Amino acid sequence: METQSQQLVAVIEGLSHSFPDGTGTISKMDLDLLPGEFVSLVGPSGCGKSTLLRLVAGLLEPTSGAIRRDPARGVGFVFQSPVLLPWRTVADNVALPGEISGEKRADRRRRVEELLELVGLKDQARRYPSQLSGGMRMRVSIARALSGRPGLLLMDEPFAALDDLTRSRLQEDLLSLRAQEGFTTLFVTHNVPEAVYLSDRVLCLSSRPARALSQVRIPEPTERDPEWRTDPRAALLAREISRALGGRGP
Ligand SMILES: Nc1ncnc2c1ncn2[C@@H]1O[C@H](COP(=O)(O)OP(=O)(O)OP(=O)(O)O)[C@@H](O)[C@H]1O
Ligand SMILES: [Mg+2]
């Protein structure tokens, strides 16, 4: 049992959380995250999804229950709005976590180059956030979250503010980043087709305080490509998720 849980990236056990004013956000949640897995959280607005990510990141303390994370794997956080430092260039924004952790300058520079190449922003390295499109800013934010080679990437509705085409491109880029870097992803979205396109599992949450209503496995194909977006099996899975959430389907 101990050996098995050591292989897990994170174990959430009987987790409940309330804010000091008594607002209950999470109720008796259990969730294991396996290495390399992509798990999405879907649920009504205000149910506690962002709070759950903050708990997993260690930014908030559970009220009861426990979250155990593999200490050998770091955490990267991508917020809904990219929160970049406007006075720093793209390269210097991506380099920031390495500077804070005291990584050697040469290693840092190599990692920044590698990440900007991976997210397709090599030519934008010297530009400032105000000179970028929304999609580009989100790419910078993803590159920055990956700079410390996290084992766990937490993403809070990262693509919600983007147009459909940019969103689709970033979804595909996220899948190839994951294939190259091997991180586990916990991804919050309101978009059911997006969850079906990206995830290995989708956890459907109730309204506040969030508890797991059901878990839908997205078993195939293991390698996602744009064809999967229009696959009839994907549409059936999306309907199953919408039903679990109490809707009539997308
Ligand atoms: N500091 C706080 N004190 C009290 N209540 C809070 C605090 N922060 C958030 N809440 C409440 O906790 C609940 C959960 O908030 P959270 O941001 O986790 O929801 P969410 O599922 O991410 O919503 P959305 O989908 O709209 O982003 C909400 O009802 C919110 O109003
Ligand atoms: Mg939220």
Side-chain angles (χ1 to χ4, degrees):
M1 189 61 198
E2 191 55 24
T3 334
Q4 195 198 351
S5 70
Q6 277 171 0
Q7 288 167 356
L8 296 170
V9 175
V11 179
I12 298 174
E13 244 170 17
L15 174 71
S16 296
H17 173 266
S18 302
F19 281 107
D21 68 357
T23 306
T25 54
I26 311 286
S27 173
K28 294 181 185 148
M29 181 97 60
D30 294 306
L31 179 66
D32 289 348
L33 296 174
L34 304 168
E37 228 189 351
F38 197 117
V39 177
S40 286
L41 302 171
V42 294
S45 186
C47 77
K49 303 178 295 295
S50 298
T51 305
L52 181 59
L53 288 195
R54 288 163 72 199
L55 283 157
V56 174
L59 301 172
L60 287 173
E61 288 289 320
T63 306
S64 61
I67 299 175
R68 290 198 304 278
R69 280 206 332 258
D70 179 350
R73 300 173 212 255
V75 176
F77 208 132
V78 177
F79 299 92
Q80 181 168 347
S81 52
V83 284
L84 302 173
L85 300 178
W87 59 87
R88 281 185 164 236
T89 62
V90 165
D92 289 346
N93 265 284
V94 176
L96 186 65
E99 278 176 43
I100 293 170
S101 69
E103 200 181 2
K104 279 198 212 124
R105 182 187 276 265
D107 294 344
R108 205 160 69 212
R109 195 175 301 152
R110 213 170 308 126
R111 179 64 174 158
V112 169
E113 272 173 24
E114 177 185 38
L115 282 166
L116 291 181
E117 173 88 53
L118 277 172
V119 300
L121 285 181
K122 222 173 87 186
D123 299 338
Q124 316 292 330
R126 311 292 339 146
R127 300 184 88 183
Y128 288 87
S130 62
Q131 300 172 300
L132 304 178
S133 69
M136 286 172 173
R137 280 187 212 135
M138 186 46 78
R139 288 172 194 275
V140 178
S141 175
I142 294 171
R144 184 181 54 189
L146 293 176
S147 70
R149 296 187 171 79
L152 177 59
L153 184 63
L154 304 172
M155 303 184 92
D156 196 354
E157 300 191 52
F159 309 146
L162 305 175
D163 64 86
D164 281 352
L165 192 64
T166 309
R167 184 176 194 140
S168 304
R169 287 214 183 110
L170 277 161
Q171 289 166 350
E172 273 140 40
D173 292 345
L174 177 59
L175 289 179
S176 32
L177 280 171
R178 174 205 182 202
Q180 290 177 63
E181 300 257 315
F183 48 80
T184 297
T185 314
L186 189 57
F187 187 92
V188 171
T189 181
H190 276 115
N191 187 310
V192 173
E194 174 170 83
V196 172
Y197 183 60
L198 295 173
S199 314
D200 300 309
R201 278 193 284 155
V202 179
L203 197 64
C204 306
L205 303 175
S206 71
S207 53
R208 193 173 65 76
R211 70 197 152 73
L213 293 171
S214 72
Q215 180 175 270
V216 177
R217 282 191 182 277
I218 316 291
E220 51 193 343
T222 40
E223 297 272 318
R224 302 287 155 84
D225 61 37
E227 298 276 294
W228 176 241
R229 291 186 194 279
T230 49
D231 192 300
R233 291 168 298 171
L236 283 175
L237 288 160
R239 201 175 320 149
E240 187 182 339
I241 293 164
S242 296
R243 282 219 190 95
L245 293 170
R248 266 174 280 149

